Amino acid sequence: MKKLEDLQDLINEAVNKLAFPTYRAALYEPISYILSLGGKRMRPALLLLACDLFGGDVEAAISPALAIEAFHNFTLMHDDIMDNAPLRRGKATVHEQWNKNVGILSGDVMLVHSYKLMMQVADHILRLVLDIFNTTAVGVCEGQQLDMEFEERNNVGIDEYINMIRLKTALLLGGALKIGALIGGAENKDAELLSNFGEHLGIAFQLQDDILDVYGDPEKFGKQVGGDIISNKKTYLLIKALELADEKQANELSDWIALKQFNNTQKVTAVTTIYNALEVRRYAENAMQTYADKAFEALDAINLPEAHKQYLRDFADGLLVREN
Amino acid sequence: MKKLEDLQDLINEAVNKLAFPTYRAALYEPISYILSLGGKRMRPALLLLACDLFGGDVEAAISPALAIEAFHNFTLMHDDIMDNAPLRRGKATVHEQWNKNVGILSGDVMLVHSYKLMMQVADHILRLVLDIFNTTAVGVCEGQQLDMEFEERNNVGIDEYINMIRLKTALLLGGALKIGALIGGAENKDAELLSNFGEHLGIAFQLQDDILDVYGDPEKFGKQVGGDIISNKKTYLLIKALELADEKQANELSDWIALKQFNNTQKVTAVTTIYNALEVRRYAENAMQTYADKAFEALDAINLPEAHKQYLRDFADGLLVREN
């Protein structure tokens, strides 16, 4: 079993070696740029890990892993335009560094390139792999559409929210694992179970992220505590709070959401006080645990040596118990 | 041999039957909308025609033909955003009817759907067909990038211009024919020749379009005569004129290009007078004929019954001798 860190290194090496045409710099430089911004390369590394778990040759899975990373970064490039985001990993976003047209067109060609990379699998799994990739890609777009729609709506339900994070982030994790498993020679059934593991784990991870935004240790979390509260992001906590709030609490939340100018600390403190009164953290942790359990259930059912499953369990535990 | 009009009808029927999920209307309605705006369905019909030419089952080629049409409309959706175009076929563009974010995201999912449609071919040609589709898609993006770049540049050469129209419009015509031929059972060599036929014909057709904009019969052409001149579009005629102009003519052209407010008729008359003095129409017609000849040369070399080749010759003649 290869270590995840080593696989992440492998991906970083491969990303650095990715060569795009130099003759059309305005189209391809933004691709190299966004890929160079780093990130944990978790999705492609998990694709390699899944391949390795089933005894496959990790080298043969590098191009499809890069396809997942390229696809992910294509979505970031276009999402950043849609969200008007100035920064990505502390650097200027592509549409800030160049302009929106460049971001649209480079993203488009990046999506095509992700198909080119994904096609570098054996003939007998080509259609299967591309079907998974298509389904994943459609789902991710649907997730982004829901995410944007939710910004405009005040009646988002918990189930809708879970479905959105499943589509927008968890699906790609599941898809990466499934494709990696198939390249590694897994039976369809096991690949599907591993995909379920990844999808549920992804949802649990996102819910944890929502919790840590408010309740995480600022020094260990590495982000501004309450960032989601400040930006009115519809997280599990906010949606649950709006669902459980009495009239007074609901009005107070609505007021904070509507306020254009405010003191960040005051807003975070006030909203957190309501969250505490309504115990939304407990609800969120329960939901997170439910999805973690589903992930482990799927994992248990996979036909793999116990040691390999334990490796995945340890990975999931490490992911879900971030110090906070 | 099926008639092109019948194949266009087949495509229109299939487009009308295309079903997208109704549960995510904001994402899929724009796709149905842009596909419903019509157009001649020339690209997908030519894919079917190519399939038919080699004795293939046209019904089996409908999904890939729809893929070509979906891909083409995805590029229109994104190009319209980049070009800030308010109208497409006389109707509001997607980003005008909805907004830019909708146009970006619906376009993205439309590109993914075009892959799903393109994959509906037999296993033994799946990789080949997708390779052609990828190459075509990358080329079309590169063509759009060049087209945008040329708007900002005053030193575009004729060769660069030809390469741009080849990438932006001719490549997809060639790709559609090649994929159709392969589905129809053509040998690789013949599919390639048919692709060359389409690509050269596409360039010739675009050059004719440049000529007709200035010299076409307004009643038969169906567009405003001189529209390209009014909008300073870098056509073959303008590029050639800038190349051949003496100092006085060059200054006069530059002045008209720089002028923000002007009388349309005056500008068209003045620029056309320079075009006439420099005989750029003759250059353009020669270039058009060169590419038409290349198209016919490729056609001659294809291993197909003479009657089938004659059918394509008649089609090309009809396309290139529009009444003007």
Side-chain angles (χ1 to χ4, degrees):
Chain A
M1 290 290 309
K2 295 196 166 47
K3 284 187 191 157
L4 192 64
E5 304 87 82
D6 294 339
L7 298 174
Q8 286 166 303
D9 289 345
L10 257 183
I11 295 293
N12 272 319
E13 271 173 48
V15 166
N16 292 338
K17 272 191 251 166
L18 261 183
F20 290 102
T22 51
Y23 59 88
R24 202 80 70 229
L27 192 58
Y28 295 109
E29 267 180 20
I31 299 180
S32 303
Y33 174 79
I34 196 170
L35 284 171
S36 76
L37 295 182
K40 293 188 295 296
R41 316 290 189 197
M42 192 58 87
R43 295 162 193 81
L46 284 175
L47 188 150
L48 297 185
L49 184 73
C51 174
D52 190 41
L53 276 172
F54 287 94
D57 174 13
V58 162
E59 288 294 326
I62 284 181
S63 285
L66 288 176
I68 291 289
E69 186 68 4
F71 175 81
H72 176 57
N73 279 275
F74 140 73
T75 66
L76 299 181
M77 206 188 277
H78 278 191
D79 286 3
D80 283 344
I81 299 173
M82 295 183 242
D83 301 342
N84 250 319
L87 294 176
R88 163 72 54 194
R89 295 185 180 123
K91 295 275 178 66
T93 46
V94 165
H95 64 96
E96 282 285 325
Q97 185 76 6
W98 286 270
N99 60 53
K100 288 193 181 183
N101 285 357
V102 166
I104 294 172
L105 196 57
S106 289
D108 290 346
V109 84
M110 199 169 184
L111 175 54
V112 175
H113 273 284
S114 68
Y115 275 94
K116 288 178 75 166
L117 288 163
M118 191 54 87
M119 283 180 62
Q120 293 176 38
V121 294
D123 282 345
H124 72 283
I125 54 168
L126 177 63
R127 185 181 295 276
L128 195 55
V129 164
L130 289 179
D131 280 343
I132 299 164
F133 191 48
N134 284 334
T135 305
T136 305
V138 168
V140 172
C141 290
E142 292 187 353
Q144 168 67 3
Q145 192 275 321
L146 279 178
D147 199 14
M148 292 197 299
E149 184 188 313
F150 289 178
E151 280 176 35
E152 312 295 324
R153 277 174 47 190
N154 286 317
N155 60 345
V156 178
I158 286 290
D159 289 351
E160 286 183 292
Y161 177 71
I162 298 274
N163 188 42
M164 185 277 283
I165 60 177
R166 183 182 70 81
L167 289 166
K168 188 166 173 176
T169 71
L171 212 57
L172 189 57
L173 218 62
L177 285 167
K178 190 170 182 181
I179 290 169
L182 290 169
I183 296 170
E187 298 286 323
N188 230 321
K189 189 175 74 56
D190 290 321
E192 184 65 34
L193 285 166
L194 190 62
S195 167
N196 291 344
F197 165 74
E199 207 173 305
H200 291 133
L201 189 65
I203 296 172
F205 183 76
Q206 186 60 50
L207 291 173
Q208 173 177 258
D209 212 58
D210 287 2
I211 299 167
L212 288 180
D213 177 75
V214 180
Y215 296 104
D217 178 337
E219 287 190 19
K220 289 176 183 161
F221 186 43
K223 288 194 214 170
Q224 178 179 31
V225 169
D228 291 346
I229 292 177
I230 293 164
S231 66
N232 292 332
K233 191 154 177 256
K234 289 207 179 62
T235 65
Y236 187 99
L237 301 175
L238 178 55
I239 294 167
K240 198 71 193 175
L242 287 167
E243 183 187 310
L244 297 173
D246 62 23
E247 204 183 328
K248 184 169 160 290
Q249 290 164 323
N251 286 338
E252 207 184 328
L253 277 173
S254 302
D255 288 348
W256 277 113
I257 289 170
L259 216 57
K260 295 283 171 215
Q261 290 204 319
F262 50 82
N263 173 291
N264 283 352
T265 312
Q266 274 181 352
K267 180 172 178 179
V268 172
T269 306
V271 173
T272 305
T273 304
I274 300 175
Y275 284 180
N276 290 341
L278 296 169
E279 298 183 61
V280 291
R281 178 182 185 168
R282 187 168 52 79
Y283 285 95
E285 283 174 346
N286 285 346
M288 179 185 142
Q289 195 53 53
T290 302
Y291 284 96
D293 290 346
K294 287 187 190 191
F296 288 119
E297 236 173 78
L299 182 54
D300 287 340
I302 301 176
N303 183 22
L304 267 179
E306 184 50 34
H308 288 196
K309 291 202 244 187
Q310 193 53 46
Y311 186 96
L312 286 173
R313 270 183 218 112
D314 293 344
F315 162 72
D317 281 335
L319 207 62
L320 291 183
V321 193
R322 295 192 300 187
E323 308 214 356
N324 61 318
Chain B
M1 289 290 309
K2 295 195 167 47
K3 283 187 193 158
L4 191 64
E5 304 88 81
D6 294 339
L7 297 174
Q8 286 166 304
D9 289 345
L10 257 183
I11 294 294
N12 272 318
E13 271 173 46
V15 166
N16 292 337
K17 273 193 248 164
L18 260 184
F20 289 101
T22 52
Y23 60 87
R24 201 79 70 228
L27 192 57
Y28 295 109
E29 267 180 20
I31 298 180
S32 303
Y33 173 80
I34 196 169
L35 283 172
S36 76
L37 295 182
K40 293 188 295 296
R41 315 292 190 199
M42 192 58 86
R43 295 162 192 79
L46 285 176
L47 188 150
L48 297 186
L49 184 73
C51 173
D52 190 40
L53 276 174
F54 288 93
D57 173 13
V58 162
E59 287 294 325
I62 285 181
S63 285
L66 288 175
I68 292 288
E69 186 67 5
F71 175 81
H72 176 57
N73 279 274
F74 139 73
T75 65
L76 298 181
M77 207 188 276
H78 278 191
D79 286 3
D80 283 344
I81 299 173
M82 294 184 242
D83 301 341
N84 250 320
L87 294 176
R88 163 71 54 194
R89 294 182 181 125
K91 296 274 177 65
T93 46
V94 165
H95 64 96
E96 282 286 324
Q97 184 77 6
W98 285 270
N99 59 55
K100 287 192 180 184
N101 285 357
V102 166
I104 294 172
L105 195 58
S106 289
D108 289 346
V109 84
M110 199 168 184
L111 175 54
V112 175
H113 274 284
S114 68
Y115 275 94
K116 288 178 74 167
L117 288 163
M118 191 53 87
M119 284 179 61
Q120 294 176 40
V121 294
D123 282 344
H124 72 282
I125 55 167
L126 178 62
R127 186 181 294 276
L128 195 54
V129 163
L130 290 178
D131 279 344
I132 299 164
F133 192 47
N134 284 334
T135 304
T136 305
V138 168
V140 172
C141 290
E142 292 188 352
Q144 168 67 4
Q145 192 274 321
L146 279 179
D147 198 15
M148 293 198 299
E149 184 188 314
F150 288 179
E151 279 177 34
E152 313 295 324
R153 277 175 47 191
N154 286 316
N155 60 345
V156 178
I158 286 290
D159 288 352
E160 286 183 291
Y161 176 71
I162 298 275
N163 188 42
M164 185 277 282
I165 60 176
R166 184 182 69 81
L167 289 166
K168 188 165 173 177
T169 70
L171 212 57
L172 189 57
L173 217 65
L177 285 167
K178 190 170 183 181
I179 289 170
L182 290 169
I183 295 171
E187 298 287 323
N188 231 320
K189 190 175 74 57
D190 290 321
E192 184 65 33
L193 285 166
L194 190 61
S195 167
N196 290 343
F197 165 74
E199 209 174 301
H200 291 133
L201 189 64
I203 296 172
F205 184 75
Q206 186 59 50
L207 291 173
Q208 173 177 257
D209 213 58
D210 287 2
I211 299 167
L212 288 180
D213 177 74
V214 180
Y215 297 105
D217 177 338
E219 288 191 18
K220 289 177 183 160
F221 187 42
K223 288 194 215 172
Q224 179 180 28
V225 168
D228 291 346
I229 292 177
I230 293 165
S231 66
N232 292 333
K233 189 152 177 259
K234 289 203 180 65
T235 64
Y236 188 98
L237 301 176
L238 178 55
I239 294 167
K240 197 71 193 174
L242 287 168
E243 184 186 309
L244 298 174
D246 61 25
E247 206 182 326
K248 184 170 160 290
Q249 289 164 323
N251 287 337
E252 207 184 329
L253 277 173
S254 302
D255 288 348
W256 278 112
I257 289 170
L259 216 57
K260 296 283 172 215
Q261 291 204 319
F262 50 82
N263 173 290
N264 283 353
T265 313
Q266 273 182 352
K267 180 172 177 180
V268 172
T269 306
V271 173
T272 305
T273 304
I274 299 175
Y275 285 180
N276 290 341
L278 296 169
E279 298 184 60
V280 292
R281 179 182 184 169
R282 187 168 52 79
Y283 285 95
E285 283 173 347
N286 285 346
M288 179 186 143
Q289 195 54 52
T290 303
Y291 284 96
D293 289 346
K294 287 186 189 192
F296 288 121
E297 235 173 81
L299 181 55
D300 287 340
I302 301 176
N303 183 21
L304 267 179
E306 184 51 34
H308 288 196
K309 291 202 244 188
Q310 192 54 46
Y311 186 96
L312 285 172
R313 268 183 220 113
D314 292 345
F315 162 72
D317 280 336
L319 208 62
L320 291 184
V321 193
R322 294 192 301 189
E323 310 216 353
N324 60 316

